[in-house]
Amino acid sequence: MSAKSEDMNGHSSSEIVASDRESTPASTSHEADPIADPGLHHPPPRLTDVDPKAERRAERQVAGMFSLASILLVLSIVAYIVFEIAPDDPDDGVSVGDVQISNFTLGITLGLATLLIGLGAVQWARALMKSPELVHERHELRSDDNIREAALADFETGTEETGFGRRKMIRNSLLGSLALLPLPAVVLLRDLGPANGPSPVDAKETTIWSEGVRVVTDVTFQPIRAADLELGQLVNAMPETFEDLPDHGPERINARAKVPVMVIRMAPEELHVAEGRENWHVDGIVAYSKICTHVGCPISLYERTTHHMLCPCHQSTFDLADAGKVIFGPATRSLPQLPLAVDGEGYLIAQSDFHEPVGPTYWER
Amino acid sequence: MSAIVNGAGKVVDFVDERITASNWLKRNIRKVFPDHWSFLLGEIALFSFILILLSGVFLTLWFKPSMAHIVYDGAYTPLRGTGMSEAYASTLELSFEVRGGLLMRQVHHWGALVFLAAMSAHMLRVFFTGAFRKPREMNWLVGVTLLFLGVATGFTGYSLPDDLLSGTGLRIIEGGMLAIPVVGTYLSWLLFGGEYPGDDIVSRLYPLHILLFPGLIILLVTVHLMLLWYQKHTHWGGSGKTNKNVVGAPFWPVYVFKAGGFQFIVFGVIILMAATIQINPVWFWGPYDPAVVSAGTQPDWYVGFLDGALRVMPPWEPEIFGYPLTLSVLIPAIILPGLILTPLALYPWIEQYATGDRREHHVLDRPRNQPVRTGIGVAFITFYLQLWIAGGNDFFATVLDIPVNWITRFIQFGLIVLTPLSFWVTKRICIGLQRRDRDTLLHGRETGVIMVSPSGEFSELHEPLDPHSAYDLAFRERQLPIDPGPATDANGVPNPSYKANRRRARLSRFYFGDVVQKPTAEELEAAQHHELERGDRQQELTSGQQ
Ligand code: HEM
Ligand code: FES
């Protein structure tokens, strides 16, 4: 870099125009300006340049800002010590108010201090530093033709010396091995996915719902008695077997991302029962996957009168009275329905797993 | 020599004797930096990034990038006894058990928002002023890459605390990956270490967020600044400021003090924001639970447009060879970002092809003097803003008290209609402004004084421009469309490249066909002559009345 700029230091500015030579039909023309350049327009002197009083005032201002910054920095340490956030008794837990006071006092002191340091420095430069308006010439960035040719010639000499062009066997075998080099690097990433267990496609097609699994309320895990559900009521539910999954490891949270359902009771005559699903509801009680078929958000906004279920993420709307069909928004597939039945004690159970994969569309489905 | 210079002299002496530093210093210490408010946007980006680095390192001292399950028993009582990941628990610890921890989290997050906003505004400045033109195309590419990396770093950071919002964001990413034909299912399976969400993703995003992406950003910022330094900054043209010089203040001391001071100002403002405006209160959302979503929360602003695109997309899912092609997700999540980034990256070359202009440009364009480029930029902003509004359509629906679906429909319509319309309107406005500039140049500045001629005509008194203002309006280049040349040469032999030339000429007419040219010297003289005559007549008139 340094060698090159030295070279260019000798150029006169008139050579700038020379770059035109490589342009194709120029569309913008360099025709003489209709008005001659009157030259630089110098701003009038600053008040601080002509009035010693103003200069002293500016000086006091700048020093004042820097000194205030020092005071604020000390205050920030005081704030750190004074505004404790740890509770006196660990059992009590933290008070969010204390945290906010600590946050505010620390932030205000540190923020104002840095701001003042910055304002002081800028004010110093603006009002007090001699600020000559400098004019530097620009030089064409393209190197001289001779140098370009010489550089190319050097490169050619070097290339000749390798014999790269002549020794085709060496060249091709080298290129071959280099081409293979990325492969192991990619293969090594294979074990990012688990080494055993179901294939990604199989995993998508099954959940822990299966025949006879009780439908339990989410959070409290109580079985749901069909007769207790009121008309229009919606319950978020899980399979009873979810509780048995271990806390540690991914199994539990992965199931949590697949199995949640919504159980809704409607008047049986409101329900448009799809063909083949005649016995999937229990007296108008239906269950659908809670995982949106668009990109997988849990669906949550139910409108009782219309039986419309809205996904808060991108507003896909599903009709729960009509096989979970999409009636608005970007989702392309109906919500998977879970076939329901009741067990001997009158509690809701699943007849089987879902009959289709839960969640967003994927290539193999 | 002062003590300072003596002290610095010792250092310079040491370095110089080892790497000939004085040579470089001599040429650079008084390097000229032009001044303009719009040049500060890039500096805001740089300085907010530095603050993000500093606060980020602080966060790493407590944050635990682990999804191992624990039962919380920390200081925040409402969540005691709740199962959560270590990542989320350590974010609570940072917020509630480390003094200044919440401040640093908020500094880091506000810093990220400011960083991306400043980078975007800086890019728009460069676009609208034509600062990307030769010789700065490489730096434009570096900039586009930085913007992409910034978004990637921001998104990975947003995902780390493993709260409800990070999880929801990741769920949408998973849905986007699944839409990729052929490999999508496997990509998602590799990224998440099996099924979604698994217990690997936070520890996998962590090295990307704190090492790989910021490392690349630091590398590219360095390249960006070295190129800027070597090529010298552009400046606004005008009297005395040409394509062959650069006018401004010296690097040492004025620029160092102004930019250095500005760094502290940016720090100060972001810290004050962190002190007073709450951001991402993760304890509020709770730990990630794939079965729970909180309505009404918004993603960080820079991913809002993607969320909006997902919302307004029609539900298209054709089958190809029996496989589903989920266009309704593929287009907004995968194709759209590419469709935005590719033309953005290539724009300097697109314009170069259209205008045939391969010369060096160091003087910035006033946006009005490039009506088509400015129109393209505004159309892009219109497109982006509509997607962004779509990303908050539920919010706007509540504010305006109309159904969400209306907003979605309106934006589907607007993307197709308003986008080209905004191009056309902007272009017309630019041309109108150019015409006004030309009139001002020809007839002088309007004074607002109305005169009546003896024949009863009303006219406004115009005041001639001072030479500096006149030059500022008149120095810009004349922009002429390319002439494709004749289809056959003098002997009737067809020109083989005529077709290509004509295509290019058409494109260049698109760019320059309608621009208002500045007046020629003759036109200017004729107009001034005319003004003088009119002025004389008015003079007579006024004196006659007295
Ligand atoms: C362009 C650069 C960066 C951006 C845009 C960015 C953005 C973010 C964002 C938005 C968050 C979420 C913060 C929250 O609300 O809790 C985050 C978290 C985090 N970032 Fe960054 N970051 C960047 C660079 C870094 C660097 C360089 C480091 C460390 C050396 C870092 C360390 C962390 C850590 C440890 C967290 C998790 C702690 C927490 O969420 O509270 N970041 N980042
Ligand atoms: S995830 Fe439900 S609409 Fe997008």
Side-chain angles (χ1 to χ4, degrees), chain A residues 20 27-28 37 80 91 94 134 136 138 192 254 256 258 313-315 332-333 364, chain B residues 75 80 99 185 195 198 233 240 244 246 248 289 307 311 317 355 359 393 480:
Chain A
D20 276 19
S27 57
T28 44
D37 187 347
Y80 186 88
D91 284 345
V94 70
L134 299 188
H136 277 188
R138 290 181 190 274
L192 278 173
N254 290 353
R256 185 82 177 141
K258 273 194 336 195
C313 280
H314 315 101
Q315 287 116 26
T332 52
R333 288 170 189 269
E364 295 84 355
Chain B
R80 278 192 189 160
R99 274 173 286 176
T185 314
E195 284 193 80
H233 206 287
K244 294 169 201 161
V246 50
D289 177 347
D307 212 40
R311 290 178 184 203
E317 189 183 298
T355 61
R359 295 161 308 149
N393 59 359
L480 304 170

mmCIF file of all heavy atoms in Angstrom, chain A residues 20 27-28 37 80 91 94 134 136 138 192 254 256 258 313-315 332-333 364, chain B residues 75 80 99 185 195 198 233 240 244 246 248 289 307 311 317 355 359 393 480:
data_model
loop_
_atom_site.group_PDB
_atom_site.id
_atom_site.type_symbol
_atom_site.label_atom_id
_atom_site.label_comp_id
_atom_site.label_asym_id
_atom_site.label_seq_id
_atom_site.Cartn_x
_atom_site.Cartn_y
_atom_site.Cartn_z
ATOM 1 N N ASP A 20 -11.179 7.949 -18.204
ATOM 2 C CA ASP A 20 -12.218 7.828 -19.229
ATOM 3 C C ASP A 20 -11.880 6.802 -20.286
ATOM 4 O O ASP A 20 -12.752 6.273 -20.934
ATOM 5 C CB ASP A 20 -12.411 9.171 -19.932
ATOM 6 C CG ASP A 20 -13.337 10.043 -19.139
ATOM 7 O OD1 ASP A 20 -13.508 9.753 -17.940
ATOM 8 O OD2 ASP A 20 -13.877 10.974 -19.701
ATOM 9 N N SER A 27 -22.169 8.044 -20.902
ATOM 10 C CA SER A 27 -23.503 8.589 -20.975
ATOM 11 C C SER A 27 -23.569 9.930 -20.276
ATOM 12 O O SER A 27 -24.508 10.669 -20.424
ATOM 13 C CB SER A 27 -24.462 7.648 -20.300
ATOM 14 O OG SER A 27 -24.010 7.470 -18.991
ATOM 15 N N THR A 28 -22.589 10.180 -19.451
ATOM 16 C CA THR A 28 -22.591 11.449 -18.752
ATOM 17 C C THR A 28 -21.404 12.220 -19.284
ATOM 18 O O THR A 28 -20.317 11.689 -19.372
ATOM 19 C CB THR A 28 -22.436 11.221 -17.250
ATOM 20 O OG1 THR A 28 -21.431 10.245 -17.075
ATOM 21 C CG2 THR A 28 -23.715 10.757 -16.639
ATOM 22 N N ASP A 37 -16.101 27.635 -11.837
ATOM 23 C CA ASP A 37 -15.985 27.349 -10.402
ATOM 24 C C ASP A 37 -15.425 28.566 -9.669
ATOM 25 O O ASP A 37 -14.292 28.967 -9.920
ATOM 26 C CB ASP A 37 -15.060 26.143 -10.230
ATOM 27 C CG ASP A 37 -15.029 25.666 -8.790
ATOM 28 O OD1 ASP A 37 -15.509 26.410 -7.914
ATOM 29 O OD2 ASP A 37 -14.525 24.554 -8.560
ATOM 30 N N TYR A 80 -23.550 1.868 42.756
ATOM 31 C CA TYR A 80 -23.324 0.418 42.764
ATOM 32 C C TYR A 80 -23.380 -0.112 44.192
ATOM 33 O O TYR A 80 -23.954 -1.161 44.478
ATOM 34 C CB TYR A 80 -21.957 0.120 42.133
ATOM 35 C CG TYR A 80 -21.662 -1.345 41.941
ATOM 36 C CD1 TYR A 80 -22.059 -1.994 40.779
ATOM 37 C CD2 TYR A 80 -20.976 -2.080 42.906
ATOM 38 C CE1 TYR A 80 -21.796 -3.329 40.581
ATOM 39 C CE2 TYR A 80 -20.701 -3.423 42.723
ATOM 40 C CZ TYR A 80 -21.107 -4.046 41.551
ATOM 41 O OH TYR A 80 -20.841 -5.372 41.357
ATOM 42 N N ASP A 91 -34.311 -16.106 51.370
ATOM 43 C CA ASP A 91 -35.602 -16.735 51.115
ATOM 44 C C ASP A 91 -36.606 -15.770 50.518
ATOM 45 O O ASP A 91 -37.553 -16.165 49.844
ATOM 46 C CB ASP A 91 -36.189 -17.305 52.420
ATOM 47 C CG ASP A 91 -35.489 -18.597 52.797
ATOM 48 O OD1 ASP A 91 -34.802 -19.147 51.911
ATOM 49 O OD2 ASP A 91 -35.603 -19.020 53.958
ATOM 50 N N VAL A 94 -35.568 -11.481 45.306
ATOM 51 C CA VAL A 94 -35.191 -10.127 44.930
ATOM 52 C C VAL A 94 -36.448 -9.279 44.752
ATOM 53 O O VAL A 94 -37.523 -9.789 44.450
ATOM 54 C CB VAL A 94 -34.389 -10.176 43.620
ATOM 55 C CG1 VAL A 94 -35.279 -10.557 42.461
ATOM 56 C CG2 VAL A 94 -33.693 -8.862 43.347
ATOM 57 N N LEU A 134 -8.699 21.822 4.850
ATOM 58 C CA LEU A 134 -7.607 21.359 3.990
ATOM 59 C C LEU A 134 -8.165 20.836 2.682
ATOM 60 O O LEU A 134 -9.265 20.298 2.636
ATOM 61 C CB LEU A 134 -6.832 20.239 4.683
ATOM 62 C CG LEU A 134 -6.150 20.568 6.007
ATOM 63 C CD1 LEU A 134 -5.270 19.406 6.428
ATOM 64 C CD2 LEU A 134 -5.328 21.839 5.893
ATOM 65 N N HIS A 136 -7.024 18.214 -0.221
ATOM 66 C CA HIS A 136 -6.053 17.253 -0.743
ATOM 67 C C HIS A 136 -6.457 16.842 -2.143
ATOM 68 O O HIS A 136 -7.642 16.685 -2.431
ATOM 69 C CB HIS A 136 -5.988 16.017 0.156
ATOM 70 C CG HIS A 136 -5.101 16.203 1.341
ATOM 71 N ND1 HIS A 136 -4.769 15.181 2.187
ATOM 72 C CD2 HIS A 136 -4.482 17.303 1.829
ATOM 73 C CE1 HIS A 136 -3.976 15.636 3.149
ATOM 74 N NE2 HIS A 136 -3.803 16.923 2.955
ATOM 75 N N ARG A 138 -6.927 14.264 -5.156
ATOM 76 C CA ARG A 138 -7.111 12.836 -5.339
ATOM 77 C C ARG A 138 -6.276 12.397 -6.523
ATOM 78 O O ARG A 138 -6.041 13.176 -7.436
ATOM 79 C CB ARG A 138 -8.565 12.518 -5.661
ATOM 80 C CG ARG A 138 -9.497 12.698 -4.536
ATOM 81 C CD ARG A 138 -10.880 12.328 -4.999
ATOM 82 N NE ARG A 138 -11.875 12.698 -4.011
ATOM 83 C CZ ARG A 138 -12.212 11.930 -2.989
ATOM 84 N NH1 ARG A 138 -11.637 10.757 -2.824
ATOM 85 N NH2 ARG A 138 -13.117 12.321 -2.122
ATOM 86 N N LEU A 192 -24.046 -34.238 13.977
ATOM 87 C CA LEU A 192 -24.830 -33.173 14.609
ATOM 88 C C LEU A 192 -26.210 -33.719 14.961
ATOM 89 O O LEU A 192 -26.810 -33.341 15.964
ATOM 90 C CB LEU A 192 -24.999 -31.996 13.638
ATOM 91 C CG LEU A 192 -23.857 -30.997 13.543
ATOM 92 C CD1 LEU A 192 -24.123 -30.007 12.421
ATOM 93 C CD2 LEU A 192 -23.677 -30.260 14.855
ATOM 94 N N ASN A 254 -39.262 -32.322 23.374
ATOM 95 C CA ASN A 254 -39.620 -32.636 21.988
ATOM 96 C C ASN A 254 -41.074 -33.084 21.889
ATOM 97 O O ASN A 254 -41.790 -32.706 20.960
ATOM 98 C CB ASN A 254 -38.708 -33.729 21.427
ATOM 99 C CG ASN A 254 -37.290 -33.225 21.210
ATOM 100 O OD1 ASN A 254 -37.034 -32.036 21.352
ATOM 101 N ND2 ASN A 254 -36.378 -34.123 20.888
ATOM 102 N N ARG A 256 -43.343 -32.212 23.940
ATOM 103 C CA ARG A 256 -44.115 -31.003 24.245
ATOM 104 C C ARG A 256 -44.347 -30.165 22.973
ATOM 105 O O ARG A 256 -45.325 -29.438 22.875
ATOM 106 C CB ARG A 256 -43.323 -30.193 25.278
ATOM 107 C CG ARG A 256 -44.005 -28.976 25.795
ATOM 108 C CD ARG A 256 -44.988 -29.305 26.887
ATOM 109 N NE ARG A 256 -45.584 -28.093 27.429
ATOM 110 C CZ ARG A 256 -46.848 -27.969 27.790
ATOM 111 N NH1 ARG A 256 -47.652 -28.996 27.720
ATOM 112 N NH2 ARG A 256 -47.316 -26.848 28.263
ATOM 113 N N LYS A 258 -44.878 -31.434 20.085
ATOM 114 C CA LYS A 258 -45.660 -32.188 19.099
ATOM 115 C C LYS A 258 -47.061 -32.578 19.562
ATOM 116 O O LYS A 258 -47.981 -32.653 18.748
ATOM 117 C CB LYS A 258 -44.913 -33.485 18.726
ATOM 118 C CG LYS A 258 -43.941 -33.278 17.600
ATOM 119 C CD LYS A 258 -43.398 -34.516 16.922
ATOM 120 C CE LYS A 258 -43.381 -35.808 17.638
ATOM 121 N NZ LYS A 258 -42.510 -36.805 16.973
ATOM 122 N N CYS A 313 -49.278 -16.098 15.540
ATOM 123 C CA CYS A 313 -48.018 -15.791 14.859
ATOM 124 C C CYS A 313 -48.236 -15.119 13.506
ATOM 125 O O CYS A 313 -47.675 -14.060 13.258
ATOM 126 C CB CYS A 313 -47.168 -17.037 14.715
ATOM 127 S SG CYS A 313 -46.295 -17.412 16.249
ATOM 128 N N HIS A 314 -49.028 -15.738 12.635
ATOM 129 C CA HIS A 314 -49.255 -15.116 11.323
ATOM 130 C C HIS A 314 -50.720 -15.160 10.933
ATOM 131 O O HIS A 314 -51.069 -15.093 9.756
ATOM 132 C CB HIS A 314 -48.393 -15.780 10.252
ATOM 133 C CG HIS A 314 -46.983 -15.998 10.699
ATOM 134 N ND1 HIS A 314 -46.527 -17.211 11.127
ATOM 135 C CD2 HIS A 314 -45.952 -15.156 10.828
ATOM 136 C CE1 HIS A 314 -45.270 -17.110 11.507
ATOM 137 N NE2 HIS A 314 -44.885 -15.874 11.341
ATOM 138 N N GLN A 315 -51.565 -15.333 11.936
ATOM 139 C CA GLN A 315 -53.023 -15.227 11.760
ATOM 140 C C GLN A 315 -53.662 -16.243 10.826
ATOM 141 O O GLN A 315 -54.683 -15.939 10.209
ATOM 142 C CB GLN A 315 -53.389 -13.817 11.300
ATOM 143 C CG GLN A 315 -53.248 -12.825 12.398
ATOM 144 C CD GLN A 315 -52.180 -11.810 12.101
ATOM 145 O OE1 GLN A 315 -51.879 -11.546 10.956
ATOM 146 N NE2 GLN A 315 -51.606 -11.261 13.134
ATOM 147 N N THR A 332 -51.301 -23.932 4.888
ATOM 148 C CA THR A 332 -51.802 -24.657 3.721
ATOM 149 C C THR A 332 -52.572 -25.910 4.099
ATOM 150 O O THR A 332 -53.194 -26.516 3.251
ATOM 151 C CB THR A 332 -50.637 -25.066 2.812
ATOM 152 O OG1 THR A 332 -49.673 -25.747 3.605
ATOM 153 C CG2 THR A 332 -49.993 -23.855 2.172
ATOM 154 N N ARG A 333 -52.468 -26.345 5.350
ATOM 155 C CA ARG A 333 -53.101 -27.614 5.710
ATOM 156 C C ARG A 333 -54.004 -27.473 6.921
ATOM 157 O O ARG A 333 -53.752 -26.671 7.810
ATOM 158 C CB ARG A 333 -52.028 -28.651 6.058
ATOM 159 C CG ARG A 333 -51.278 -29.123 4.863
ATOM 160 C CD ARG A 333 -50.086 -29.939 5.285
ATOM 161 N NE ARG A 333 -49.252 -30.211 4.121
ATOM 162 C CZ ARG A 333 -49.384 -31.278 3.366
ATOM 163 N NH1 ARG A 333 -50.278 -32.194 3.665
ATOM 164 N NH2 ARG A 333 -48.599 -31.447 2.322
ATOM 165 N N GLU A 364 -40.922 -34.658 2.771
ATOM 166 C CA GLU A 364 -41.245 -36.082 2.618
ATOM 167 C C GLU A 364 -42.675 -36.425 3.001
ATOM 168 O O GLU A 364 -43.055 -37.583 2.952
ATOM 169 C CB GLU A 364 -40.294 -36.944 3.445
ATOM 170 C CG GLU A 364 -38.842 -36.907 3.018
ATOM 171 C CD GLU A 364 -38.100 -35.719 3.607
ATOM 172 O OE1 GLU A 364 -38.736 -34.874 4.280
ATOM 173 O OE2 GLU A 364 -36.883 -35.615 3.389
ATOM 174 N N ALA B 75 -33.198 -15.919 42.741
ATOM 175 C CA ALA B 75 -33.703 -14.781 43.507
ATOM 176 C C ALA B 75 -35.084 -14.321 43.069
ATOM 177 O O ALA B 75 -35.769 -13.623 43.809
ATOM 178 C CB ALA B 75 -32.722 -13.619 43.400
ATOM 179 N N ARG B 80 -39.707 -19.445 41.127
ATOM 180 C CA ARG B 80 -39.092 -20.524 41.916
ATOM 181 C C ARG B 80 -39.909 -21.800 41.776
ATOM 182 O O ARG B 80 -41.140 -21.757 41.803
ATOM 183 C CB ARG B 80 -39.014 -20.124 43.392
ATOM 184 C CG ARG B 80 -37.810 -19.254 43.653
ATOM 185 C CD ARG B 80 -37.560 -19.091 45.128
ATOM 186 N NE ARG B 80 -36.521 -18.071 45.324
ATOM 187 C CZ ARG B 80 -36.352 -17.421 46.472
ATOM 188 N NH1 ARG B 80 -37.137 -17.664 47.506
ATOM 189 N NH2 ARG B 80 -35.392 -16.542 46.573
ATOM 190 N N ARG B 99 -25.331 -6.919 39.985
ATOM 191 C CA ARG B 99 -25.545 -5.476 39.847
ATOM 192 C C ARG B 99 -24.965 -5.007 38.513
ATOM 193 O O ARG B 99 -23.824 -5.352 38.189
ATOM 194 C CB ARG B 99 -24.883 -4.729 40.999
ATOM 195 C CG ARG B 99 -25.761 -4.634 42.229
ATOM 196 C CD ARG B 99 -25.017 -4.054 43.392
ATOM 197 N NE ARG B 99 -24.065 -5.032 43.946
ATOM 198 C CZ ARG B 99 -23.216 -4.753 44.934
ATOM 199 N NH1 ARG B 99 -23.180 -3.545 45.440
ATOM 200 N NH2 ARG B 99 -22.401 -5.685 45.383
ATOM 201 N N THR B 185 -35.799 -31.205 5.813
ATOM 202 C CA THR B 185 -36.049 -32.021 6.991
ATOM 203 C C THR B 185 -34.723 -32.395 7.659
ATOM 204 O O THR B 185 -34.595 -32.363 8.883
ATOM 205 C CB THR B 185 -36.791 -33.304 6.582
ATOM 206 O OG1 THR B 185 -37.846 -32.942 5.693
ATOM 207 C CG2 THR B 185 -37.356 -34.015 7.779
ATOM 208 N N GLU B 195 -34.978 -34.051 16.794
ATOM 209 C CA GLU B 195 -36.262 -33.367 16.683
ATOM 210 C C GLU B 195 -36.196 -31.980 17.303
ATOM 211 O O GLU B 195 -35.370 -31.704 18.185
ATOM 212 C CB GLU B 195 -37.328 -34.198 17.410
ATOM 213 C CG GLU B 195 -37.764 -35.418 16.637
ATOM 214 C CD GLU B 195 -39.014 -36.012 17.251
ATOM 215 O OE1 GLU B 195 -40.094 -35.485 16.980
ATOM 216 O OE2 GLU B 195 -38.900 -36.979 18.026
ATOM 217 N N GLY B 198 -35.153 -30.089 20.874
ATOM 218 C CA GLY B 198 -33.960 -30.764 21.372
ATOM 219 C C GLY B 198 -33.329 -30.003 22.520
ATOM 220 O O GLY B 198 -33.920 -29.084 23.086
ATOM 221 N N HIS B 233 -12.541 9.602 1.564
ATOM 222 C CA HIS B 233 -13.988 9.741 1.669
ATOM 223 C C HIS B 233 -14.527 10.542 0.479
ATOM 224 O O HIS B 233 -13.848 11.405 -0.047
ATOM 225 C CB HIS B 233 -14.335 10.455 2.980
ATOM 226 C CG HIS B 233 -15.692 10.111 3.492
ATOM 227 N ND1 HIS B 233 -16.835 10.582 2.898
ATOM 228 C CD2 HIS B 233 -16.089 9.331 4.523
ATOM 229 C CE1 HIS B 233 -17.881 10.103 3.558
ATOM 230 N NE2 HIS B 233 -17.460 9.342 4.544
ATOM 231 N N GLY B 240 -15.304 24.735 -5.522
ATOM 232 C CA GLY B 240 -14.019 24.349 -4.949
ATOM 233 C C GLY B 240 -13.937 22.884 -4.566
ATOM 234 O O GLY B 240 -12.868 22.383 -4.229
ATOM 235 N N LYS B 244 -11.659 15.765 -8.127
ATOM 236 C CA LYS B 244 -10.215 15.536 -8.071
ATOM 237 C C LYS B 244 -9.617 15.964 -6.756
ATOM 238 O O LYS B 244 -8.401 15.930 -6.590
ATOM 239 C CB LYS B 244 -9.532 16.303 -9.200
ATOM 240 C CG LYS B 244 -9.907 15.778 -10.564
ATOM 241 C CD LYS B 244 -9.416 16.725 -11.624
ATOM 242 C CE LYS B 244 -10.190 16.535 -12.915
ATOM 243 N NZ LYS B 244 -10.048 17.687 -13.785
ATOM 244 N N VAL B 246 -10.377 16.492 -2.216
ATOM 245 C CA VAL B 246 -11.235 16.202 -1.073
ATOM 246 C C VAL B 246 -11.007 17.336 -0.087
ATOM 247 O O VAL B 246 -9.868 17.711 0.190
ATOM 248 C CB VAL B 246 -10.954 14.802 -0.487
ATOM 249 C CG1 VAL B 246 -9.484 14.580 -0.245
ATOM 250 C CG2 VAL B 246 -11.746 14.562 0.795
ATOM 251 N N GLY B 248 -11.864 19.115 3.632
ATOM 252 C CA GLY B 248 -12.400 18.855 4.963
ATOM 253 C C GLY B 248 -11.377 19.138 6.039
ATOM 254 O O GLY B 248 -10.412 19.876 5.812
ATOM 255 N N ASP B 289 -41.626 -22.691 26.311
ATOM 256 C CA ASP B 289 -42.520 -23.835 26.368
ATOM 257 C C ASP B 289 -43.170 -23.925 24.997
ATOM 258 O O ASP B 289 -43.911 -23.027 24.599
ATOM 259 C CB ASP B 289 -43.578 -23.595 27.463
ATOM 260 C CG ASP B 289 -44.591 -24.725 27.527
ATOM 261 O OD1 ASP B 289 -44.633 -25.555 26.586
ATOM 262 O OD2 ASP B 289 -45.351 -24.779 28.515
ATOM 263 N N ASP B 307 -41.280 -11.623 9.207
ATOM 264 C CA ASP B 307 -42.510 -12.070 9.836
ATOM 265 C C ASP B 307 -43.711 -11.553 9.046
ATOM 266 O O ASP B 307 -44.681 -12.274 8.832
ATOM 267 C CB ASP B 307 -42.538 -11.542 11.274
ATOM 268 C CG ASP B 307 -43.258 -12.487 12.205
ATOM 269 O OD1 ASP B 307 -43.065 -13.707 12.052
ATOM 270 O OD2 ASP B 307 -44.018 -12.011 13.063
ATOM 271 N N ARG B 311 -46.757 -13.443 6.925
ATOM 272 C CA ARG B 311 -48.180 -13.195 7.180
ATOM 273 C C ARG B 311 -48.970 -12.921 5.913
ATOM 274 O O ARG B 311 -50.135 -13.304 5.831
ATOM 275 C CB ARG B 311 -48.340 -11.991 8.120
ATOM 276 C CG ARG B 311 -47.889 -12.306 9.509
ATOM 277 C CD ARG B 311 -48.004 -11.114 10.442
ATOM 278 N NE ARG B 311 -47.460 -11.499 11.736
ATOM 279 C CZ ARG B 311 -47.768 -10.924 12.880
ATOM 280 N NH1 ARG B 311 -48.614 -9.932 12.898
ATOM 281 N NH2 ARG B 311 -47.250 -11.346 14.009
ATOM 282 N N GLU B 317 -49.265 -24.168 -2.004
ATOM 283 C CA GLU B 317 -48.458 -25.369 -1.778
ATOM 284 C C GLU B 317 -48.681 -26.366 -2.909
ATOM 285 O O GLU B 317 -49.382 -27.352 -2.748
ATOM 286 C CB GLU B 317 -48.817 -26.005 -0.433
ATOM 287 C CG GLU B 317 -47.846 -27.108 -0.066
ATOM 288 C CD GLU B 317 -48.232 -27.789 1.235
ATOM 289 O OE1 GLU B 317 -48.251 -27.101 2.260
ATOM 290 O OE2 GLU B 317 -48.501 -29.000 1.212
ATOM 291 N N THR B 355 -25.830 2.598 -17.413
ATOM 292 C CA THR B 355 -25.417 3.949 -17.774
ATOM 293 C C THR B 355 -24.133 3.954 -18.587
ATOM 294 O O THR B 355 -23.765 4.983 -19.142
ATOM 295 C CB THR B 355 -25.181 4.797 -16.516
ATOM 296 O OG1 THR B 355 -24.135 4.173 -15.769
ATOM 297 C CG2 THR B 355 -26.431 4.879 -15.671
ATOM 298 N N ARG B 359 -16.379 5.568 -14.940
ATOM 299 C CA ARG B 359 -15.378 6.499 -14.412
ATOM 300 C C ARG B 359 -15.392 6.500 -12.892
ATOM 301 O O ARG B 359 -16.343 6.033 -12.267
ATOM 302 C CB ARG B 359 -15.675 7.909 -14.940
ATOM 303 C CG ARG B 359 -15.509 8.015 -16.443
ATOM 304 C CD ARG B 359 -16.236 9.225 -16.968
ATOM 305 N NE ARG B 359 -17.618 9.199 -16.487
ATOM 306 C CZ ARG B 359 -18.321 10.297 -16.241
ATOM 307 N NH1 ARG B 359 -17.770 11.480 -16.417
ATOM 308 N NH2 ARG B 359 -19.565 10.202 -15.830
ATOM 309 N N ASN B 393 -49.293 -6.403 11.937
ATOM 310 C CA ASN B 393 -50.684 -6.142 11.528
ATOM 311 C C ASN B 393 -51.676 -6.287 12.676
ATOM 312 O O ASN B 393 -52.662 -5.573 12.729
ATOM 313 C CB ASN B 393 -51.094 -6.976 10.297
ATOM 314 C CG ASN B 393 -50.972 -8.452 10.538
ATOM 315 O OD1 ASN B 393 -50.561 -8.875 11.626
ATOM 316 N ND2 ASN B 393 -51.310 -9.252 9.545
ATOM 317 N N LEU B 480 -26.733 11.814 -20.488
ATOM 318 C CA LEU B 480 -27.354 11.517 -21.769
ATOM 319 C C LEU B 480 -27.472 10.014 -21.945
ATOM 320 O O LEU B 480 -26.535 9.278 -21.632
ATOM 321 C CB LEU B 480 -26.506 12.094 -22.903
ATOM 322 C CG LEU B 480 -26.253 13.598 -22.763
ATOM 323 C CD1 LEU B 480 -25.220 14.053 -23.776
ATOM 324 C CD2 LEU B 480 -27.551 14.368 -22.938
#
